[in-house]
Amino acid sequence: MIQLLTKPFINRIVCKAASAFAMIGICTTAFAMGEQPYVSDKASTGAFALSAAGKSAPIFVSPADYKGVIRAAKDLQTDITSVTQAEPLLSTNTITGKQVVLIGTIGNSTLIDRLIQQKKLNVAGIKGKWETFVLQTISHPMPGVDKALVIAGSDKRGTIYGIYDLSAQIGVSPWYWWADVPVKQQKSLYVLPGRHSQGEPAVKYRGIFINDEAPAFSGWTNEKFGGFNHKVYTKVFELILRLKGNYLWPAMWGNAFNDDDSLNRPLADEYGIVMGTSHHEPMDRAQTEWKRYGKGEWDYNKNGEVLRNFWRKGIQNMGTAETIVTVGMRGDGDMAMEEGTNIALLEKIVADQRKIIADVTGNPADQTPQLWALYKEVQEYYDKGMRVPDDITLLLCDDNWGNIRKLPALGEKPRKGGYGIYYHFDYVGDPRNYKWLNTNPISKVWEQMHLAYEYNARQVWIVNVGDLKPMEYPISFFLDYAWNPNKWPASRVQEYTRLWAKQQFGATYAIQIADILSKYTKYNGRRKPEMLDQNTYSLANFREFETIVNDYNKLEEQAQALYKDIPKQYKDAYYQLVLHPVQACSNLNAMYYAAAKNHLYASQGRAATNDMAQQVRDLYVRDAEISRYYNTQLAGGKWNHMMDQTHIGYTYWQQPDSNKMPEVKTINIPQKAAMGVAVQGLNEWWPNSSAQAALQQFNLLQQQPQYIEVFNRGKLPIKYSVSTAPWITATPQSGTIDQENRLSVSINWQKVPVGTQSGTVTIKGSDGSSISVNVPVSTIKNAPGIGFLQNNGYVSIEAEHYNKAVTTPQIKWLTIPDYGRTLSGVTPYPVTAPLQKPGGNSPHLEYMVTLADTGKVYIHAYLSPTIDFTHNKSLQYAISVDDEQPQICNVNAAANQQVWSKAVAENINILVSEHHIAKAGMHTVKFWMVSPGVVLQKLVLNINHRLPASYLGPPENYRVTTINQ
């Protein structure tokens, strides 16, 4: 029996200054995600004084309770001390004190069981549930005690979650250690009266997979902890529990959790973590253990007895520790099985594994939780008829890029073992590794995991988180969503980001930080940083590359400005959670932009070519400096090696051994000055090109300026002057150029003569050259129709900007805010709705457009790269113009390897349908629901093959809402 349990005051950042309290806006201390606050720093009627007047209420736990519960109670003791500087007593001895905290597990705690027997504690809705807790105040629970705050759990983890829920409410972030989030200090803590519970989790097993952990996590843990041992894993266990997770696949690149440290497994069980091994490591043995102890080939036909003995040892080592045993078999090293592997053999492997489980445990095999991961080619075995016993959980998988490959058929007979999902925030493999930074917008995670939940994949959710850092934000969302999906509908996803920012940094900056988090993940989600290069975005069309870089630069400026304002104690957390990914990716995009311009300039012989090459070199050096700061300066070097991951210089899917700067070109620049001219939207330059230089057509309804670049091709400066039609403005009108100058061209519409169709801008250089640029205009003052207006051969429309959404009582259209590459996504709702025959008043979206041309129109539907997850391959939509018969289009981003690689690399699946327009004017484009699960992001009408090439597609066209506009 322990009389007094104390814990050394661990190294935490504490907000001490009173000014910091005001700055961060602390009043209530509710920092648990999305919960109603039940802790305040102000006394109120019926509130329990957890800490007041420099004294904290003592904490009592039954000595018979789980070790993990007692350990978590120590964390609560430390958390209260961190917040209030008043350490509470923690004891398993006789209860003393007028106001006390009582913690215990129903059936394991004499304290709690006595209160239930005496009908002083109501555990209705708690007892017998999975991982459920209640937290409530009881008056006169026992002689000598006036009031008790009771935390009672239905089981071990239920009690632990109740403890950590209180910790979050008093202001301790789950990320206090893993992201250096400061603990907010308070003088007083009061628990409001009432019965507080988070209910039962919706998904039974919720966890993370530390994977692809070299060089970052491995380098860090080897330096800080001496390897993948219990010292680092207890930090992981605690984090998972604070996030209300319960499941872990441990690191396995050259590591073996059960073999590396004899304390790993028992401590996991003591903490309350359910352990497993990854999708390709059967029978609770790591792949590395086979490399250490295995003999012969990893081939069941040739080496079955050795493999059975190897697996038997895994189940023996498991003992009674909570485990989900992976069954089945892939090739050695997470590779596919040999070609021609037959289903009968694979089913025999599972049967033999289950016999081992039964023999070793002494219980029927179905008493031990098991899963079979339908990963990559294993799903093909399932599709061809392979089956496993009903109690085994079928772990369905995404495509490693966040797109779920298969879901259970609606209405099918439930499996005893249910279904689960293996999802990815990190991956090593085709078409390219992505390991460096967080590239996972939570709106996409929501959309896919919402599908999974609604299709009854609810037994296990596990996500590959790579090095764990820097995936803090999406990990939080994944586990919070797994606990209660109904709490976070699409309309609250943006609110989640604000609440998460508030939990880490307080209310004052939450909105600004949430905006930064949402934008950087959207920008990164467009294309993984590892897949970027100088050819990703268009230099010529829509000012695309320039806009991408400018947007990132603005975001970095915003993040840097906030970094200066935020209190000192928050700066380390802010840097790693907010500023670093913005800074690093802004720099990376700028480097590739400079490389793209360097190559273009070299082809044009620009005097700025070599300076642009130097800019690439400088930005490449800055990339290393940013990583070096994260590793060696941030938090005093606490996270050294976490940014060791290479990310520049890929030549195929596998990472390079070291970063490699993009290739740059240098040229010999002649002494003599020579003028060159380039115009927006064209790759040619003048006087090199024989074609007429021309800008895109200007019109009254879309009054955006365009540019002309005047550049020098020699070392000596060159002078230029500009002459224009009187209604054209081009500034600056003259100047001296060392390297280049950009002229902004706009129209003074008050001066344009009626009937004018074009004018000219003429640039004359001091070298005697003269270049004329045609400036076409449309002087139509009123819109020819309503809707989106054709401009230069295309119409671009964001999905949520429909004119009309046709619904039925059962089927609506749902906008997923901040989803996808540009604005949002629109999808039929609910995602379990039945198939629809398009036509008439069946569900569809209508988009009004006004076209100036006739002929062929190709409608590009920009869809999320959804894989056809249906059992009957029925994922479809339909498209039509006006009253034509809808064209049905099949949606499957994994239709073939080439389609899939392009779709996941670009994070979009663009399907094209052909239509004929016989008459110019107003038309209605109709996007029809056929099946749920299709998410539309954008529609682009390509008229007579005149759509300029770009990565994101054209910006949205001008929209007229009334005919007189």
Side-chain angles (χ1 to χ4, degrees), residues 204-205 324 354 363-372 382 388-395 408 412-420 456-460:
K204 187 170 186 179
Y205 296 104
I324 303 177
R354 285 170 64 81
N363 295 310
D366 64 4
Q367 300 302 301
T368 299
Q370 299 152 60
L371 64 78
W372 179 42
Y382 179 83
V388 295
D390 194 60
D391 61 278
I392 296 176
T393 300
L394 297 187
L395 190 68
E412 75 173 21
K413 180 183 176 182
R415 292 181 58 82
K416 180 182 175 182
Y419 294 88
N456 295 310
R458 303 179 179 183
Q459 185 73 0
V460 177

Side-chain angles (χ1 to χ4, degrees), residues 217-228:
F217 194 100
S218 60
W220 170 76
T221 194
N222 283 323
E223 176 183 300
K224 304 299 182 182
F225 297 96
F228 286 83

Side-chain angles (χ1 to χ4, degrees), residues 325-386:
V325 178
T326 298
V327 297
M329 188 176 184
R330 287 196 82 211
D332 194 14
D334 197 17
M335 302 301 290
M337 295 283 275
E338 287 185 6
E339 186 102 16
T341 301
N342 63 72
I343 288 174
L345 173 63
L346 293 169
E347 289 180 337
K348 174 175 169 50
I349 289 171
V350 173
D352 290 350
Q353 289 170 339
R354 285 170 64 81
K355 185 177 185 305
I356 292 169
I357 292 170
D359 289 347
V360 173
T361 64
N363 295 310
D366 64 4
Q367 300 302 301
T368 299
Q370 299 152 60
L371 64 78
W372 179 42
L374 304 188
Y375 183 72
K376 289 191 175 180
E377 84 289 342
V378 180
Q379 182 179 309
E380 296 175 17
Y381 304 144
Y382 179 83
D383 291 342
K384 291 175 182 177
M386 179 178 171

Side-chain angles (χ1 to χ4, degrees), residues 203-209 240 244-249 274 421 423 460-465 475 478-479 482:
V203 176
K204 187 170 186 179
Y205 296 104
R206 310 163 304 282
I208 63 174
F209 177 21
I240 292 171
K244 293 189 175 67
N246 60 9
Y247 185 40
L248 175 65
W249 287 358
V274 182
I421 296 293
Y423 201 72
V460 177
W461 284 9
I462 182 113
V463 59
N464 186 327
V465 300
I475 289 172
F478 185 88
L479 294 177

Side-chain angles (χ1 to χ4, degrees), residues 87 155 414 948:
E87 184 179 46
D155 51 27

Side-chain angles (χ1 to χ4, degrees), residues 73-250:
K74 295 180 188 179
D75 282 349
L76 179 61
Q77 178 191 36
T78 301
D79 292 346
I80 293 170
T81 306
S82 298
V83 173
T84 66
Q85 302 299 295
E87 184 179 46
L89 169 74
L90 173 59
S91 177
T92 58
N93 260 338
T94 305
I95 297 170
T96 58
K98 294 297 184 183
Q99 295 207 15
V100 300
V101 179
L102 305 178
I103 297 174
T105 308
I106 299 170
N108 264 69
S109 168
T110 54
L111 295 176
I112 300 303
D113 291 347
R114 189 180 303 121
L115 292 174
I116 296 171
Q117 291 166 5
Q118 295 172 352
K119 301 189 182 305
K120 293 182 178 181
L121 177 64
N122 179 9
V123 292
I126 306 298
K127 187 176 181 179
K129 298 293 186 179
W130 176 261
E131 298 181 342
T132 308
F133 68 88
V134 63
L135 188 150
Q136 69 181 80
T137 301
I138 297 176
S139 296
H140 306 293
M142 55 197 62
V145 177
D146 293 340
K147 188 180 290 187
L149 175 66
V150 177
I151 302 174
S154 63
D155 51 27
K156 176 168 69 174
R157 278 188 296 275
T159 310
I160 292 169
Y161 294 149
I163 292 168
Y164 285 138
D165 196 71
L166 180 58
S167 288
Q169 286 269 346
I170 69 174
V172 179
S173 166
W175 297 100
Y176 78 89
W177 192 88
W178 281 97
D180 302 303
V181 175
V183 174
K184 294 97 181 165
Q185 197 172 50
Q186 301 276 34
K187 290 183 179 180
S188 301
L189 296 171
Y190 294 92
V191 178
L192 303 180
R195 195 167 186 266
H196 310 290
S197 178
Q198 296 305 313
E200 195 171 25
V203 176
K204 187 170 186 179
Y205 296 104
R206 310 163 304 282
I208 63 174
F209 177 21
I210 298 173
N211 190 219
D212 311 327
E213 64 270 14
F217 194 100
S218 60
W220 170 76
T221 194
N222 283 323
E223 176 183 300
K224 304 299 182 182
F225 297 96
F228 286 83
N229 53 37
H230 72 279
K231 296 176 184 177
V232 69
Y233 273 119
T234 51
K235 300 288 189 187
V236 177
F237 301 157
E238 181 188 334
L239 173 69
I240 292 171
L241 293 169
R242 284 184 184 267
L243 292 169
K244 293 189 175 67
N246 60 9
Y247 185 40
L248 175 65
W249 287 358

Side-chain angles (χ1 to χ4, degrees), residues 840-881:
N841 288 319
S842 73
H844 66 276
L845 302 171
E846 295 185 359
Y847 299 88
M848 299 295 294
V849 298
T850 296
L851 304 180
D853 296 319
T854 59
K856 289 184 178 179
V857 172
Y858 301 88
I859 300 181
H860 297 231
Y862 285 59
L863 306 173
S864 297
T866 306
I867 291 174
D868 192 342
F869 57 84
T870 62
H871 69 287
N872 58 358
K873 299 304 175 189
S874 60
L875 201 65
Q876 297 175 325
Y877 73 96
I879 193 85
S880 64
V881 179

